[in-house]
Amino acid sequence: MPSSYRRFLTLVIALIIGVATPVLVQARPDLERTIGATVADSPSPDYQFSDLRLTSADGQRRYRIRIAQPRIAPPSTGYPVIYFLDGNAVLMELNAHLLAQLAVQKQPPVLVLLSYDNDLRIDSRDRSYDYTPASQQKVGKQPNGGADAFLKLIETQVKPAVAAKVTVNPQQQTLWGHSYGGLFVLHTLLTQPAAFQNYIAVEPSLWWGKGFILQEAQRVIDRHPPLSAHLQLWIGGAEKMREAPPIIRQSQLPADAAQSLAKRLATLDGLKVDYREWPGLDHGAMLSAAIKPALEGIAKDKAADQ
């Protein structure tokens, strides 16, 4: 049995039984913070913003989807598109200078900011439901398990609405998520890999559900299906070992949890995996740090013009 495989199995078992070494405690975000004025509120010579409002199938959650479209003509194959989870928080990190930099690239992307229909930077309750997979156990105090329904909403309502507004390249679609959003990115890749071509998981909550996503990944690895996708797994070096939020009371992660996952997923045929660490950045700081590299990578991707 290869040593990397043994380490991965050990990681999964440790998370299931709750054995790991605690080091850092995750800082909790300010859940009352609102977005205020953003780049979407001022006319831009580079990008045009429009809104789309939707309701979940069960009628419990309302969404505000912001679509940022480059003002220049689309490439012959259509614009590449990046779908950002926690769209309000991402919107707060955008500025006119960044949009101007994107607009002069050969492949300026369309930005789709998946948000809730309120002015909260982070809607803790609704994202806890939409971004987490269905599990047989209850995790924390918030409702969870709506990831598959949320992905269905993206596939059947959001994507068609974006395509009706903007000329997009259906073969150059990226899904980006941080924390619970990163968990959603990985779950989508493992269960519906053809939904997107590029997946960017930033500080994914691997601890969630006692390592639910690691167990899901191992089941896929055991089947070894051919995939055609690109996963970028990005981690802040300051929190390679950290506890789950105290309110969750879950297991801690070993230092190489994400790196081990990346190595194992890279064994799947057709799946390109890039693992990157940002030295000195903690969990919260990674949300901001991972936006510009994601956008620049798409804008400069030569494959988008093929």
Side-chain angles (χ1 to χ4, degrees):
M1 180 184 295
S3 59
S4 62
Y5 184 74
R6 289 198 299 269
R7 286 197 301 271
F8 190 82
L9 287 180
T10 300
L11 169 62
V12 173
I13 293 171
L15 283 163
I16 293 173
I17 65 177
V19 178
T21 303
V23 178
L24 298 175
V25 177
Q26 179 185 1
R28 291 184 58 77
D30 179 2
L31 301 181
E32 300 300 319
R33 186 179 177 187
T34 56
I35 59 175
T38 71
V39 68
D41 300 315
S42 301
S44 166
D46 304 301
Y47 270 78
Q48 176 182 349
F49 284 81
S50 60
D51 283 2
L52 171 69
R53 283 178 166 83
L54 299 171
T55 303
S56 62
D58 61 7
Q60 297 301 305
R61 288 162 302 284
R62 292 185 57 82
Y63 306 96
R64 182 180 183 182
I65 315 299
R66 290 180 175 86
I67 304 169
Q69 173 185 354
R71 291 191 183 275
I72 68 170
S76 59
T77 53
Y79 298 109
V81 187
I82 180 168
Y83 291 81
F84 282 106
L85 299 167
D86 287 318
N88 278 353
V90 173
L91 180 63
M92 294 175 68
E93 303 295 332
L94 301 180
N95 56 62
H97 180 65
L98 176 57
L99 295 182
Q101 288 180 317
L102 293 175
V104 298
Q105 300 296 326
K106 188 176 182 180
Q107 301 288 344
V110 170
L111 284 57
V112 180
L113 306 171
L114 303 169
S115 312
Y116 297 97
D117 197 8
N118 56 51
D119 62 353
L120 291 174
R121 177 180 181 271
I122 295 290
D123 189 320
S124 176
R125 179 179 177 84
D126 286 347
R127 77 191 292 270
S128 293
Y129 183 77
D130 281 336
Y131 297 175
T132 56
S135 173
Q136 293 182 349
Q137 60 179 313
K138 180 175 175 58
V139 182
K141 297 180 180 180
Q142 302 280 25
N144 52 69
D148 292 336
F150 187 54
L151 178 58
K152 183 177 181 181
L153 181 138
I154 293 173
E155 290 291 295
T156 62
Q157 297 192 55
V158 179
K159 283 187 177 181
V162 172
K165 284 177 171 282
V166 189
T167 302
V168 300
N169 185 344
Q171 296 306 311
Q172 284 294 325
Q173 300 190 88
T174 298
L175 179 64
W176 182 103
H178 169 266
S179 192
Y180 271 22
L183 179 73
F184 180 88
V185 169
L186 291 175
H187 177 68
T188 301
L189 170 65
L190 294 169
T191 59
Q192 299 290 335
F196 299 86
Q197 291 73 47
N198 303 296
Y199 295 83
I200 303 177
V202 183
E203 282 282 315
S205 299
L206 302 182
W207 52 263
W208 185 86
K210 295 185 178 180
F212 177 96
I213 202 68
L214 299 175
Q215 299 166 55
E216 188 170 61
Q218 189 57 54
R219 290 192 293 270
V220 173
I221 291 167
D222 290 341
R223 297 199 311 271
H224 211 85
L227 300 178
S228 180
H230 181 197
L231 169 65
Q232 298 181 72
L233 185 52
W234 295 350
I235 302 297
E239 292 204 26
K240 288 180 64 177
M241 294 178 68
R242 65 181 178 86
E243 293 182 354
I247 195 172
I248 302 295
R249 300 184 184 280
Q250 288 287 334
S251 306
Q252 297 83 14
L253 293 178
D256 65 346
Q259 189 171 18
S260 176
L261 174 62
K263 288 180 178 178
R264 293 295 300 156
L265 289 174
T267 65
L268 294 173
D269 295 337
L271 179 62
K272 179 182 178 183
V273 180
D274 290 319
Y275 173 81
R276 179 180 175 184
E277 291 180 11
W278 269 258
L281 294 189
D282 64 14
H283 183 74
M286 279 299 298
L287 186 150
S288 176
I291 294 171
K292 185 176 179 181
L295 290 169
E296 291 178 340
I298 296 168
K300 296 176 181 178
D301 187 357
K302 295 180 180 179
D305 198 32
Q306 295 177 357

